[in-house]
Amino acid sequence: MTKNVSQQLVELLVKAGIKRIYSVTGDSLNEFNNAVRKDGNIQWIHVRHEEAGAFAAAADAELTGLACCAGSSGPGHVHLVNGLYDAHRSGVPVLAIVSTCATGEFGSGYFQETNTTRLFDDCSHYNQIANTAHQLPRMAQAAIQHAIQKKGVAVLGLPGDVAGLPAVDNISADRNYFTTATIQPSAAEIQELAELINSHQKICIFCGIGAAGAHKEVVELSSFLQAPVGYSFRGKMSIAHNNPNEVGMSGLVGLPAAYHSMHESDLILLLGTDFPYVPFIPQDKTLVQVDLQPERLGRRAKLDIGLWGDVKATITALMPLLERKTDNSFLKAQLQVHEKVKDHLLIYVNDKGKTDAIHPEAVAFIMDKLATDDAVFTVDTGMCCVWGARYITANGKRKLIGSFTHGSMANAMPQAIGAALAFPGRQIVAMCGDGGISMLLGDLATIKQYNLNIKIIVFNNRSLGMVKLEMEVAGIMDYQTDMENPDFAMVAEATGIKGITIHDPGQLESSMTQAMAHQGPVLVNVFTDPNALAMPPKLNFKMVKGMSLYMGKMMLGGKFEEVIDTLRANYKHLEDLNN
């Protein structure tokens, strides 16, 4: 029997190595869904919301190299948009198959009709709709090729009527090519960089996700130059481990040591990072940036040198031209600062808080201690990012996924779904805010349906914590940030997932131990301190003024008790305010 377009598409996906499709099937996707069922080589993951499917596909792609999600006509594929934005901005290869109404209805205002090429244009490298059976295989091959080589989203529009047409032989390639290339700056540029480095004494290295494959080279370079090494959140898991010169993160969720190292140095090497927080990059230093995407050079700071190249290849070419630094006084000073910072982080680990006001730092610390050596962590945007950044230990085996560039809420739980399906033998830990998990609670049913080994830790502070902090720092009274939550553990139990609630800090470690050892999915609802603050690595006068103004407004409004609770809950920051 002649195969149809959907069967032809499935064959192309199988050849490209796609193992799963995250989707809610229906109407215009039915032919494609049926082709997946008949082929048997791809698993259709029935998520409860397409946004969750796109987030899951993004996590799957980050761990495996390529993943696929799909959405049916109109509302179905519209729901994909937020997750696809996250994938695209994170630079992970995702193919989105978006089905539409029949081609004969285009432009008629038909039921569930959308213009997919307009809708997805800003979050994709490739975005086309196959209006004929002739176009489909060629477009599918091109879409996958764009996703894997440009590292981002490719969108393939599939009208419902085209999906069932007889297949037509492809006139171009019917397979994809997963190629790699080493890009290295020219010899003259490498020489210029070497001369610049040789002429400076106090050097700081700051790495992003683009340095992930260059851990050994970065460590060697830092030792050769007596240079401290800071990193972005996305760079942490690949750079921090087995690195004697690491000084932690900088940025909004970072710590003082990396910030201090950058601002006390004479020369900063920005390696594979598109670090977006300009105020944390000193503009009065000599700055060098090395990146595989040359369009990013100089868009965060005024560079002295900007080089297009792979970090590993660039360091390898650079090392023979460098003069070894022997004065380690700058490096030792920064490492001492970092040791003090790490000691400071233990204050709220040892003091776990009180009933219904458990310190989130303690939760993150115990979670990190109990997690397996090869665990995959996902973190919700907001305060969970802070606790994850500061307390998850990198060891070279663990992975960490979040919405670090797009900054979406509700990402951790669906990303954990993709991670669990990509790595079925590993423990997956989702650090969820109560605001984040509330958005996509329905996909707890997906976790149960596939019995995924996910440990969902809900940091339940009964508020939009990061938003509240932002308002406080700006001196604005927080409004509509508090949340009246359901009993998350009971919700989990209702879906068939083990639920645990922790009110008492004395029960924190034993309950977390039980949860992490449980075989299968579990949700832990921890009542954390709603007044816990996450102070940035450097306080400025505007921040202090804003907090003071906020406290004053609270007191004038008669909320003395809340002011006292906030001060008591954050005594650890008093030292920061005095420095």
Side-chain angles (χ1 to χ4, degrees), residues 14-32:
V14 171
K15 287 180 182 178
I18 288 173
K19 305 296 184 186
R20 289 163 289 279
I21 295 171
Y22 299 88
S23 183
V24 179
T25 195
D27 47 74
S28 56
L29 269 180
N30 288 342
E31 283 285 356
F32 179 56

Side-chain angles (χ1 to χ4, degrees), residues 176-388:
N176 290 100
Y177 306 92
F178 294 75
T179 65
T180 58
T182 299
I183 297 174
Q184 182 179 306
S186 68
E189 290 174 322
I190 292 289
Q191 181 64 47
E192 182 185 7
L193 176 56
E195 291 173 0
L196 187 69
I197 292 174
N198 290 337
S199 66
H200 288 77
Q201 292 303 312
K202 295 193 296 181
I203 300 169
C204 178
I205 299 170
F206 188 82
C207 297
I209 188 65
H215 176 273
K216 175 175 175 287
E217 289 73 19
V218 168
V219 171
E220 288 178 353
L221 179 66
S222 70
S223 298
F224 200 80
L225 300 179
Q226 303 292 330
V229 180
Y231 41 80
S232 67
F233 202 170
R234 288 193 76 192
K236 175 178 179 174
M237 302 309 275
S238 55
I239 295 298
H241 68 282
N242 300 323
N243 187 342
N245 296 337
E246 66 98 5
V247 290
M249 290 172 51
S250 187
L252 292 175
V253 300
L255 294 165
Y259 180 94
H260 189 270
S261 295
M262 294 175 76
H263 283 75
E264 292 297 315
S265 65
D266 298 322
L267 169 65
I268 302 173
L269 301 177
L270 301 168
L271 304 180
T273 179
D274 190 37
F275 187 70
Y277 305 112
V278 173
F280 292 91
I281 303 175
Q283 303 293 320
D284 60 344
K285 309 298 180 184
T286 301
L287 298 176
V288 174
Q289 183 180 359
V290 179
D291 204 289
L292 260 180
Q293 294 181 268
E295 68 274 12
R296 292 178 173 178
L297 296 174
R299 73 177 182 179
R300 309 297 183 194
K302 293 179 173 61
L303 305 177
D304 291 83
I305 296 179
L307 299 180
W308 179 24
D310 172 79
V311 172
K312 181 175 182 177
T314 301
I315 295 176
T316 300
L318 180 66
M319 287 293 289
L321 304 177
L322 296 178
E323 298 170 1
R324 182 182 291 274
K325 309 291 184 185
T326 56
D327 183 356
N328 67 352
S329 57
F330 173 66
L331 173 61
K332 286 179 65 177
Q334 307 316 309
L335 292 175
Q336 288 173 1
V337 171
H338 191 39
E339 285 303 313
K340 290 182 179 179
V341 169
K342 288 191 287 186
D343 289 342
H344 199 54
L345 287 176
L346 294 177
I347 293 175
Y348 272 9
V349 169
N350 299 324
D351 174 6
K352 295 181 176 63
K354 58 185 181 180
T355 301
D356 287 344
I358 299 171
H359 292 153
E361 298 94 330
V363 180
F365 179 84
I366 292 171
M367 178 201 69
D368 175 73
K369 182 175 71 171
L370 296 174
T372 59
D373 285 346
D374 64 349
V376 179
F377 298 87
T378 63
V379 292
D380 260 341
T381 300
M383 299 298 250
C384 286
C385 272
V386 179
W387 316 133

Side-chain angles (χ1 to χ4, degrees), residues 9 12 34 45 112 117 120 159 193 208 211 234 244 261 264 282 305 309 362 399 433 476 500 502 560:
L9 175 57
L12 286 166
N34 191 44
I45 304 300
Q112 296 187 331
T117 52
F120 296 102
L193 176 56
R234 288 193 76 192
S261 295
E264 292 297 315
I305 296 179
K399 301 289 185 181
I476 300 170
I500 298 172
I502 307 176
F560 295 97

Side-chain angles (χ1 to χ4, degrees), residues 324-489:
R324 182 182 291 274
K325 309 291 184 185
T326 56
D327 183 356
N328 67 352
S329 57
F330 173 66
L331 173 61
K332 286 179 65 177
Q334 307 316 309
L335 292 175
Q336 288 173 1
V337 171
H338 191 39
E339 285 303 313
K340 290 182 179 179
V341 169
K342 288 191 287 186
D343 289 342
H344 199 54
L345 287 176
L346 294 177
I347 293 175
Y348 272 9
V349 169
N350 299 324
D351 174 6
K352 295 181 176 63
K354 58 185 181 180
T355 301
D356 287 344
I358 299 171
H359 292 153
E361 298 94 330
V363 180
F365 179 84
I366 292 171
M367 178 201 69
D368 175 73
K369 182 175 71 171
L370 296 174
T372 59
D373 285 346
D374 64 349
V376 179
F377 298 87
T378 63
V379 292
D380 260 341
T381 300
M383 299 298 250
C384 286
C385 272
V386 179
W387 316 133
R390 296 179 181 179
Y391 292 95
I392 293 176
T393 304
N395 62 7
K397 299 177 183 177
R398 290 175 164 181
K399 301 289 185 181
L400 178 66
I401 299 172
S403 184
F404 299 132
T405 304
H406 189 48
S408 175
M409 286 180 66
N411 61 285
M413 187 263 283
Q415 285 177 331
I417 292 173
L421 287 159
F423 289 165
R426 292 167 70 167
Q427 185 185 73
I428 313 299
V429 182
M431 297 175 65
C432 299
D434 52 337
I437 197 165
S438 295
M439 283 187 168
L440 291 171
L441 268 176
D443 272 280
L444 289 177
T446 305
I447 293 173
K448 173 57 181 174
Q449 181 165 334
Y450 297 97
N451 197 34
L452 303 177
N453 186 30
I454 298 173
K455 315 307 174 189
I456 304 166
I457 314 300
V458 181
F459 288 70
N460 186 356
N461 61 5
R462 286 81 74 202
S463 70
L464 299 176
M466 185 62 80
V467 178
K468 185 174 182 178
L469 177 59
E470 290 167 351
M471 297 176 83
E472 290 171 356
V473 168
I476 300 170
M477 287 289 290
D478 63 284
Y479 178 63
Q480 293 297 318
T481 60
D482 293 335
M483 299 180 65
E484 186 170 325
N485 291 318
D487 186 324
F488 291 117

Side-chain angles (χ1 to χ4, degrees), residues 383 465-478 481 530-533 542-551 554 562 566 570:
M383 299 298 250
M466 185 62 80
V467 178
K468 185 174 182 178
L469 177 59
E470 290 167 351
M471 297 176 83
E472 290 171 356
V473 168
I476 300 170
M477 287 289 290
D478 63 284
T481 60
N531 295 308
L533 297 180
K542 184 178 180 181
M543 293 176 184
V544 176
K545 180 182 177 183
M547 286 295 292
S548 300
L549 182 62
Y550 172 81
M551 293 295 185
M554 289 275 284
E562 291 185 38
T566 300
N570 296 281

Side-chain angles (χ1 to χ4, degrees), residues 22 49-59 69 79-84 87 94:
Y22 299 88
H49 194 290
E50 288 89 351
E51 181 177 347
F55 272 121
C69 59
H79 286 158
L80 294 172
V81 170
N82 191 49
L84 293 182
V94 171

